[in-house]
Amino acid sequence: MQYLTKITARDLNVYYGDKQALFDVNLDVQKNQVTALIGPSGCGKSTFLRCVNRMNDVIDICRVEGKITLDGDDIYREGIDAVQLRARVGMVFQKPNPFPKTIYENVAYGPRIHGLASNATDLDEIVMNSLERAGLIDEVKDRLDDPGTGLSGGQQQRLCIARAIAVSPEVILMDEPCSALDPIATAKIEELMGELTENYTIVIVTHSMQQAARVSERTAFFHLGIVVEEGETAKIFTDPVDDRTRDYITGRFG
Amino acid sequence: MSRLVESHLTELRQKLLRMASLCEAILETALESLWTRNAVLAEQVKPDDLEIDRLDVEIDELVLRLLATQAPVADDLREVIASKMIAIDLERVGDLARNVAKSAISLADNPEVPTPPRLRTLADEAQRILRRSLDCFAERDPNKAAEVLDDDDQVDEDEDLVIRAAIEEIRTHPEYASQEVDFIMVAKNLERVADHATNIAEGVILAAEARIVKHAEKLAQ
């Protein structure tokens, strides 16, 4: 199977005021794959993730130099609407953050404001379809009018994934999506990621080496704001090229 | 930084090194008992073989515990997998040495027949290859290990010559068939020792360089 590049970062430098967070980052993300970003806290992996849907725009002191393209199109060029971009590049956060609304409304909100449904039947279909793809439908189909916040942590996270999917994104960014979940809920999300790659490209930031090894096709190791090594996950976890990668994944880092 | 996995890996390595030195010793004793037709000496390999088996079990337990609790990756993972592979081969070498000792006892119990000269060469070669592979394991030296891989041609040739000579002897002196069959079995066992020695070298290469080199020649055809 031939993979196409979905996202490219070229000579990406990111600053928070005087502090530089990313240094000349070059990274390709392949379409319909899971790419894991690993590295110690403060290494820049989340900063990178937030650049991909321009979430850093909302931080005043944040400055981005270099280039990130989505399907070859520079997402920082003039004329790019960040809100539209975020519909194409969805995000799931560390802590499940459903809206204080019903389960149905959580998923319907995005398609409604983006005008993706022409009528109520359309919207129903989008909501049900998204819940199904997020692996949540069987658990919530009889209580769509219950508040989303009443679900368990794992269900809430899958609701957030359904909400992200509902606006038909191409890419889903996940920032430690399982760190607040128990192993069973984590396993469900991990399994779901594999299924989601049929339609979406996933980039996940994780502190769990084992999670990165389990879910991703490719892994990038960030350290001190640079990409030290990027490659096939199986290769990184059996035979990393760079000593720093090896020291990190084997826990030798002091 | 001290790592939990480190102490486990050190323990694993110590057990393997102990197993390796027992293997060298047990083979030496078995062969000495063969050359001297000394059944008493041959019996002495038993406790060493038992100790090798005990270490083999301990290594299995340790490997399971390591994989379950430490989830090793990269160099650590390769070290664990290679250790398990090497333990299998060492345990087999112990068994083969014990077989040689059994043949020695059988030969000591029967009228003496001269040892085929090539059997000595074969034994020297097999011991030399085993020593080299254990050295490269102890030194974690993949380059030395690569040399061991191509080193068992002489062993195969000697085994063949010993077997042919023994068959010939059986034809001309059927009354010595039992002794000659013992020589054939010893030759077979020694050839297997050399095979396991090359497997050990393959384990060293896997651990050091993440390369799987076993069956490389056969699979390339």
PDB file of all heavy atoms in Angstrom, chain B residues 187-214:
ATOM      1  N   ALA B 187      30.384 -38.153  17.040  1.00  0.00           N
ATOM      2  CA  ALA B 187      30.624 -37.214  15.933  1.00  0.00           C
ATOM      3  C   ALA B 187      29.375 -36.366  15.677  1.00  0.00           C
ATOM      4  O   ALA B 187      29.459 -35.136  15.514  1.00  0.00           O
ATOM      5  CB  ALA B 187      31.008 -37.979  14.669  1.00  0.00           C
ATOM      6  N   LYS B 188      28.232 -37.020  15.668  1.00  0.00           N
ATOM      7  CA  LYS B 188      26.959 -36.303  15.467  1.00  0.00           C
ATOM      8  C   LYS B 188      26.746 -35.249  16.551  1.00  0.00           C
ATOM      9  O   LYS B 188      26.386 -34.097  16.275  1.00  0.00           O
ATOM     10  CB  LYS B 188      25.780 -37.303  15.527  1.00  0.00           C
ATOM     11  CG  LYS B 188      25.498 -37.985  14.236  1.00  0.00           C
ATOM     12  CD  LYS B 188      24.403 -37.202  13.501  1.00  0.00           C
ATOM     13  CE  LYS B 188      24.499 -37.441  12.022  1.00  0.00           C
ATOM     14  NZ  LYS B 188      24.315 -36.277  11.203  1.00  0.00           N
ATOM     15  N   ASN B 189      26.971 -35.669  17.800  1.00  0.00           N
ATOM     16  CA  ASN B 189      26.766 -34.753  18.921  1.00  0.00           C
ATOM     17  C   ASN B 189      27.709 -33.550  18.846  1.00  0.00           C
ATOM     18  O   ASN B 189      27.309 -32.418  19.133  1.00  0.00           O
ATOM     19  CB  ASN B 189      26.953 -35.483  20.250  1.00  0.00           C
ATOM     20  CG  ASN B 189      25.734 -36.343  20.590  1.00  0.00           C
ATOM     21  OD1 ASN B 189      24.604 -35.879  20.540  1.00  0.00           O
ATOM     22  ND2 ASN B 189      25.957 -37.604  20.916  1.00  0.00           N
ATOM     23  N   LEU B 190      28.944 -33.810  18.446  1.00  0.00           N
ATOM     24  CA  LEU B 190      29.912 -32.701  18.366  1.00  0.00           C
ATOM     25  C   LEU B 190      29.554 -31.742  17.237  1.00  0.00           C
ATOM     26  O   LEU B 190      29.695 -30.523  17.372  1.00  0.00           O
ATOM     27  CB  LEU B 190      31.331 -33.258  18.168  1.00  0.00           C
ATOM     28  CG  LEU B 190      31.902 -33.986  19.391  1.00  0.00           C
ATOM     29  CD1 LEU B 190      33.231 -34.652  19.034  1.00  0.00           C
ATOM     30  CD2 LEU B 190      32.105 -33.013  20.564  1.00  0.00           C
ATOM     31  N   GLU B 191      29.062 -32.305  16.147  1.00  0.00           N
ATOM     32  CA  GLU B 191      28.641 -31.441  15.043  1.00  0.00           C
ATOM     33  C   GLU B 191      27.490 -30.545  15.504  1.00  0.00           C
ATOM     34  O   GLU B 191      27.434 -29.360  15.157  1.00  0.00           O
ATOM     35  CB  GLU B 191      28.241 -32.319  13.850  1.00  0.00           C
ATOM     36  CG  GLU B 191      27.918 -31.547  12.572  1.00  0.00           C
ATOM     37  CD  GLU B 191      26.447 -31.132  12.477  1.00  0.00           C
ATOM     38  OE1 GLU B 191      25.593 -31.818  13.088  1.00  0.00           O
ATOM     39  OE2 GLU B 191      26.164 -30.125  11.812  1.00  0.00           O
ATOM     40  N   ARG B 192      26.599 -31.105  16.322  1.00  0.00           N
ATOM     41  CA  ARG B 192      25.472 -30.316  16.844  1.00  0.00           C
ATOM     42  C   ARG B 192      25.957 -29.216  17.793  1.00  0.00           C
ATOM     43  O   ARG B 192      25.397 -28.123  17.820  1.00  0.00           O
ATOM     44  CB  ARG B 192      24.462 -31.222  17.581  1.00  0.00           C
ATOM     45  CG  ARG B 192      23.755 -32.249  16.714  1.00  0.00           C
ATOM     46  CD  ARG B 192      22.892 -31.641  15.628  1.00  0.00           C
ATOM     47  NE  ARG B 192      21.856 -30.774  16.179  1.00  0.00           N
ATOM     48  CZ  ARG B 192      21.451 -29.638  15.623  1.00  0.00           C
ATOM     49  NH1 ARG B 192      22.011 -29.214  14.505  1.00  0.00           N
ATOM     50  NH2 ARG B 192      20.518 -28.923  16.179  1.00  0.00           N
ATOM     51  N   VAL B 193      26.984 -29.550  18.578  1.00  0.00           N
ATOM     52  CA  VAL B 193      27.565 -28.530  19.478  1.00  0.00           C
ATOM     53  C   VAL B 193      28.005 -27.320  18.659  1.00  0.00           C
ATOM     54  O   VAL B 193      27.702 -26.162  19.000  1.00  0.00           O
ATOM     55  CB  VAL B 193      28.759 -29.097  20.293  1.00  0.00           C
ATOM     56  CG1 VAL B 193      29.544 -27.967  20.956  1.00  0.00           C
ATOM     57  CG2 VAL B 193      28.269 -30.096  21.340  1.00  0.00           C
ATOM     58  N   ALA B 194      28.699 -27.600  17.549  1.00  0.00           N
ATOM     59  CA  ALA B 194      29.170 -26.498  16.704  1.00  0.00           C
ATOM     60  C   ALA B 194      27.998 -25.700  16.136  1.00  0.00           C
ATOM     61  O   ALA B 194      28.042 -24.467  16.067  1.00  0.00           O
ATOM     62  CB  ALA B 194      30.057 -27.035  15.581  1.00  0.00           C
ATOM     63  N   ASP B 195      26.929 -26.405  15.774  1.00  0.00           N
ATOM     64  CA  ASP B 195      25.727 -25.710  15.275  1.00  0.00           C
ATOM     65  C   ASP B 195      25.154 -24.771  16.332  1.00  0.00           C
ATOM     66  O   ASP B 195      24.805 -23.618  16.036  1.00  0.00           O
ATOM     67  CB  ASP B 195      24.637 -26.733  14.918  1.00  0.00           C
ATOM     68  CG  ASP B 195      24.795 -27.250  13.499  1.00  0.00           C
ATOM     69  OD1 ASP B 195      25.675 -26.716  12.786  1.00  0.00           O
ATOM     70  OD2 ASP B 195      24.061 -28.173  13.127  1.00  0.00           O
ATOM     71  N   HIS B 196      25.060 -25.267  17.555  1.00  0.00           N
ATOM     72  CA  HIS B 196      24.525 -24.416  18.628  1.00  0.00           C
ATOM     73  C   HIS B 196      25.453 -23.248  18.914  1.00  0.00           C
ATOM     74  O   HIS B 196      24.996 -22.151  19.243  1.00  0.00           O
ATOM     75  CB  HIS B 196      24.258 -25.248  19.880  1.00  0.00           C
ATOM     76  CG  HIS B 196      23.064 -26.157  19.738  1.00  0.00           C
ATOM     77  ND1 HIS B 196      21.779 -25.672  19.653  1.00  0.00           N
ATOM     78  CD2 HIS B 196      22.962 -27.501  19.602  1.00  0.00           C
ATOM     79  CE1 HIS B 196      20.941 -26.692  19.494  1.00  0.00           C
ATOM     80  NE2 HIS B 196      21.639 -27.815  19.454  1.00  0.00           N
ATOM     81  N   ALA B 197      26.750 -23.491  18.758  1.00  0.00           N
ATOM     82  CA  ALA B 197      27.711 -22.395  18.965  1.00  0.00           C
ATOM     83  C   ALA B 197      27.464 -21.276  17.947  1.00  0.00           C
ATOM     84  O   ALA B 197      27.483 -20.089  18.299  1.00  0.00           O
ATOM     85  CB  ALA B 197      29.141 -22.920  18.853  1.00  0.00           C
ATOM     86  N   THR B 198      27.180 -21.657  16.699  1.00  0.00           N
ATOM     87  CA  THR B 198      26.907 -20.610  15.709  1.00  0.00           C
ATOM     88  C   THR B 198      25.580 -19.910  16.016  1.00  0.00           C
ATOM     89  O   THR B 198      25.451 -18.699  15.827  1.00  0.00           O
ATOM     90  CB  THR B 198      26.890 -21.148  14.252  1.00  0.00           C
ATOM     91  OG1 THR B 198      25.928 -22.175  14.153  1.00  0.00           O
ATOM     92  CG2 THR B 198      28.236 -21.691  13.850  1.00  0.00           C
ATOM     93  N   ASN B 199      24.607 -20.670  16.542  1.00  0.00           N
ATOM     94  CA  ASN B 199      23.352 -20.014  16.949  1.00  0.00           C
ATOM     95  C   ASN B 199      23.610 -18.950  18.019  1.00  0.00           C
ATOM     96  O   ASN B 199      22.987 -17.882  18.012  1.00  0.00           O
ATOM     97  CB  ASN B 199      22.368 -21.037  17.528  1.00  0.00           C
ATOM     98  CG  ASN B 199      21.827 -21.998  16.479  1.00  0.00           C
ATOM     99  OD1 ASN B 199      22.090 -21.821  15.290  1.00  0.00           O
ATOM    100  ND2 ASN B 199      21.100 -22.996  16.915  1.00  0.00           N
ATOM    101  N   ILE B 200      24.494 -19.283  18.949  1.00  0.00           N
ATOM    102  CA  ILE B 200      24.815 -18.334  20.020  1.00  0.00           C
ATOM    103  C   ILE B 200      25.406 -17.055  19.411  1.00  0.00           C
ATOM    104  O   ILE B 200      25.048 -15.944  19.790  1.00  0.00           O
ATOM    105  CB  ILE B 200      25.786 -18.982  21.036  1.00  0.00           C
ATOM    106  CG1 ILE B 200      25.035 -20.065  21.812  1.00  0.00           C
ATOM    107  CG2 ILE B 200      26.383 -17.933  21.981  1.00  0.00           C
ATOM    108  CD1 ILE B 200      25.924 -20.997  22.635  1.00  0.00           C
ATOM    109  N   ALA B 201      26.284 -17.252  18.423  1.00  0.00           N
ATOM    110  CA  ALA B 201      26.880 -16.090  17.754  1.00  0.00           C
ATOM    111  C   ALA B 201      25.790 -15.250  17.071  1.00  0.00           C
ATOM    112  O   ALA B 201      25.848 -14.014  17.070  1.00  0.00           O
ATOM    113  CB  ALA B 201      27.916 -16.552  16.730  1.00  0.00           C
ATOM    114  N   GLU B 202      24.787 -15.932  16.523  1.00  0.00           N
ATOM    115  CA  GLU B 202      23.676 -15.199  15.897  1.00  0.00           C
ATOM    116  C   GLU B 202      22.924 -14.364  16.933  1.00  0.00           C
ATOM    117  O   GLU B 202      22.499 -13.237  16.656  1.00  0.00           O
ATOM    118  CB  GLU B 202      22.709 -16.178  15.229  1.00  0.00           C
ATOM    119  CG  GLU B 202      23.291 -16.823  13.974  1.00  0.00           C
ATOM    120  CD  GLU B 202      22.519 -18.075  13.508  1.00  0.00           C
ATOM    121  OE1 GLU B 202      21.551 -18.482  14.184  1.00  0.00           O
ATOM    122  OE2 GLU B 202      22.910 -18.637  12.482  1.00  0.00           O
ATOM    123  N   GLY B 203      22.769 -14.908  18.121  1.00  0.00           N
ATOM    124  CA  GLY B 203      22.136 -14.174  19.220  1.00  0.00           C
ATOM    125  C   GLY B 203      22.932 -12.932  19.597  1.00  0.00           C
ATOM    126  O   GLY B 203      22.353 -11.868  19.858  1.00  0.00           O
ATOM    127  N   VAL B 204      24.242 -13.065  19.594  1.00  0.00           N
ATOM    128  CA  VAL B 204      25.109 -11.924  19.932  1.00  0.00           C
ATOM    129  C   VAL B 204      24.912 -10.799  18.910  1.00  0.00           C
ATOM    130  O   VAL B 204      24.825  -9.619  19.256  1.00  0.00           O
ATOM    131  CB  VAL B 204      26.596 -12.360  19.984  1.00  0.00           C
ATOM    132  CG1 VAL B 204      27.513 -11.151  20.124  1.00  0.00           C
ATOM    133  CG2 VAL B 204      26.820 -13.343  21.127  1.00  0.00           C
ATOM    134  N   ILE B 205      24.793 -11.194  17.635  1.00  0.00           N
ATOM    135  CA  ILE B 205      24.610 -10.199  16.573  1.00  0.00           C
ATOM    136  C   ILE B 205      23.239  -9.529  16.690  1.00  0.00           C
ATOM    137  O   ILE B 205      23.114  -8.313  16.545  1.00  0.00           O
ATOM    138  CB  ILE B 205      24.796 -10.854  15.177  1.00  0.00           C
ATOM    139  CG1 ILE B 205      26.265 -11.260  14.994  1.00  0.00           C
ATOM    140  CG2 ILE B 205      24.354  -9.900  14.058  1.00  0.00           C
ATOM    141  CD1 ILE B 205      26.548 -12.083  13.758  1.00  0.00           C
ATOM    142  N   LEU B 206      22.216 -10.319  17.009  1.00  0.00           N
ATOM    143  CA  LEU B 206      20.877  -9.741  17.198  1.00  0.00           C
ATOM    144  C   LEU B 206      20.891  -8.713  18.330  1.00  0.00           C
ATOM    145  O   LEU B 206      20.370  -7.605  18.192  1.00  0.00           O
ATOM    146  CB  LEU B 206      19.850 -10.835  17.510  1.00  0.00           C
ATOM    147  CG  LEU B 206      18.447 -10.315  17.854  1.00  0.00           C
ATOM    148  CD1 LEU B 206      17.759  -9.719  16.633  1.00  0.00           C
ATOM    149  CD2 LEU B 206      17.574 -11.402  18.461  1.00  0.00           C
ATOM    150  N   ALA B 207      21.506  -9.075  19.439  1.00  0.00           N
ATOM    151  CA  ALA B 207      21.534  -8.168  20.597  1.00  0.00           C
ATOM    152  C   ALA B 207      22.310  -6.892  20.275  1.00  0.00           C
ATOM    153  O   ALA B 207      21.869  -5.793  20.601  1.00  0.00           O
ATOM    154  CB  ALA B 207      22.145  -8.873  21.799  1.00  0.00           C
ATOM    155  N   ALA B 208      23.432  -7.040  19.601  1.00  0.00           N
ATOM    156  CA  ALA B 208      24.306  -5.881  19.391  1.00  0.00           C
ATOM    157  C   ALA B 208      23.861  -5.018  18.216  1.00  0.00           C
ATOM    158  O   ALA B 208      23.968  -3.792  18.264  1.00  0.00           O
ATOM    159  CB  ALA B 208      25.751  -6.344  19.175  1.00  0.00           C
ATOM    160  N   GLU B 209      23.370  -5.660  17.161  1.00  0.00           N
ATOM    161  CA  GLU B 209      23.159  -4.901  15.921  1.00  0.00           C
ATOM    162  C   GLU B 209      21.742  -4.970  15.366  1.00  0.00           C
ATOM    163  O   GLU B 209      21.483  -4.464  14.280  1.00  0.00           O
ATOM    164  CB  GLU B 209      24.137  -5.403  14.847  1.00  0.00           C
ATOM    165  CG  GLU B 209      25.600  -5.157  15.218  1.00  0.00           C
ATOM    166  CD  GLU B 209      26.547  -5.606  14.118  1.00  0.00           C
ATOM    167  OE1 GLU B 209      26.161  -6.501  13.339  1.00  0.00           O
ATOM    168  OE2 GLU B 209      27.656  -5.039  14.062  1.00  0.00           O
ATOM    169  N   ALA B 210      20.842  -5.627  16.095  1.00  0.00           N
ATOM    170  CA  ALA B 210      19.450  -5.731  15.650  1.00  0.00           C
ATOM    171  C   ALA B 210      19.332  -6.413  14.292  1.00  0.00           C
ATOM    172  O   ALA B 210      18.395  -6.166  13.541  1.00  0.00           O
ATOM    173  CB  ALA B 210      18.784  -4.357  15.585  1.00  0.00           C
ATOM    174  N   ARG B 211      20.291  -7.286  13.995  1.00  0.00           N
ATOM    175  CA  ARG B 211      20.201  -8.004  12.719  1.00  0.00           C
ATOM    176  C   ARG B 211      19.880  -9.469  12.980  1.00  0.00           C
ATOM    177  O   ARG B 211      20.492 -10.099  13.829  1.00  0.00           O
ATOM    178  CB  ARG B 211      21.540  -7.923  11.973  1.00  0.00           C
ATOM    179  CG  ARG B 211      21.805  -6.558  11.368  1.00  0.00           C
ATOM    180  CD  ARG B 211      22.959  -6.630  10.377  1.00  0.00           C
ATOM    181  NE  ARG B 211      24.203  -7.059  10.988  1.00  0.00           N
ATOM    182  CZ  ARG B 211      24.982  -8.026  10.490  1.00  0.00           C
ATOM    183  NH1 ARG B 211      24.636  -8.651   9.384  1.00  0.00           N
ATOM    184  NH2 ARG B 211      26.099  -8.355  11.117  1.00  0.00           N
ATOM    185  N   ILE B 212      18.899  -9.991  12.226  1.00  0.00           N
ATOM    186  CA  ILE B 212      18.585 -11.412  12.321  1.00  0.00           C
ATOM    187  C   ILE B 212      19.331 -12.102  11.192  1.00  0.00           C
ATOM    188  O   ILE B 212      19.002 -11.929  10.024  1.00  0.00           O
ATOM    189  CB  ILE B 212      17.057 -11.642  12.201  1.00  0.00           C
ATOM    190  CG1 ILE B 212      16.350 -10.936  13.359  1.00  0.00           C
ATOM    191  CG2 ILE B 212      16.737 -13.134  12.195  1.00  0.00           C
ATOM    192  CD1 ILE B 212      14.839 -10.915  13.253  1.00  0.00           C
ATOM    193  N   VAL B 213      20.369 -12.860  11.554  1.00  0.00           N
ATOM    194  CA  VAL B 213      21.228 -13.446  10.511  1.00  0.00           C
ATOM    195  C   VAL B 213      21.031 -14.951  10.358  1.00  0.00           C
ATOM    196  O   VAL B 213      21.640 -15.572   9.496  1.00  0.00           O
ATOM    197  CB  VAL B 213      22.721 -13.144  10.782  1.00  0.00           C
ATOM    198  CG1 VAL B 213      22.982 -11.659  10.622  1.00  0.00           C
ATOM    199  CG2 VAL B 213      23.143 -13.610  12.166  1.00  0.00           C
ATOM    200  N   LYS B 214      20.158 -15.553  11.209  1.00  0.00           N
ATOM    201  CA  LYS B 214      20.029 -17.009  11.106  1.00  0.00           C
ATOM    202  C   LYS B 214      19.364 -17.407   9.794  1.00  0.00           C
ATOM    203  O   LYS B 214      18.552 -16.661   9.251  1.00  0.00           O
ATOM    204  CB  LYS B 214      19.263 -17.572  12.306  1.00  0.00           C
ATOM    205  CG  LYS B 214      17.834 -17.152  12.413  1.00  0.00           C
ATOM    206  CD  LYS B 214      17.218 -17.803  13.637  1.00  0.00           C
ATOM    207  CE  LYS B 214      15.835 -17.276  13.899  1.00  0.00           C
ATOM    208  NZ  LYS B 214      15.291 -17.794  15.154  1.00  0.00           N
TER     209      LYS B 214
END
